[in-house]
Amino acid sequence: MIANQLNIPIMKVNFNVPLERYNGENLKDNEGKDVLAKHVVCNVLSLVSDATPNEKIDIDQLMHEIWRTAGDMELSPEDVVTIRKHIQVLPVSTFVPLYKMLG
């Protein structure tokens, strides 16, 4: 995880929640299981190719932390910026709920 060099408060986020569709129903995968925020965020981050080697290492550490954390996890402002940057490739139905989770 990238160090908080801006001295801005840490944000707590729970990525273990299902994403909701526009009609309030949970988003489902092809097997009918709820799609959790951590699934989408980790999948998107795992595809990042336009980063420096050090950024890729930081992203990998962030993905592992997101995946392993069962409840609220602390995100630095830099982590929030990283996630927001890379989720922009997502369609509206998944981008917006994730963006809102990140304040």
Side-chain angles (χ1 to χ4, degrees), residues 37-82:
K38 74 177 182 180
H39 294 143
V40 176
V41 172
C42 288
N43 282 328
V44 168
L45 292 178
S46 73
L47 298 173
V48 171
S49 61
D50 62 339
T52 67
N54 285 339
E55 288 170 334
K56 288 181 180 183
I57 291 168
D58 289 341
I59 290 169
D60 181 70
Q61 290 173 347
L62 177 58
M63 282 188 320
H64 282 85
E65 187 174 349
I66 289 169
W67 195 259
R68 287 187 209 125
T69 303
D72 286 348
M73 68 174 286
E74 294 182 348
L75 291 177
S76 70
E78 293 87 358
D79 292 336
V80 172
V81 168
T82 296

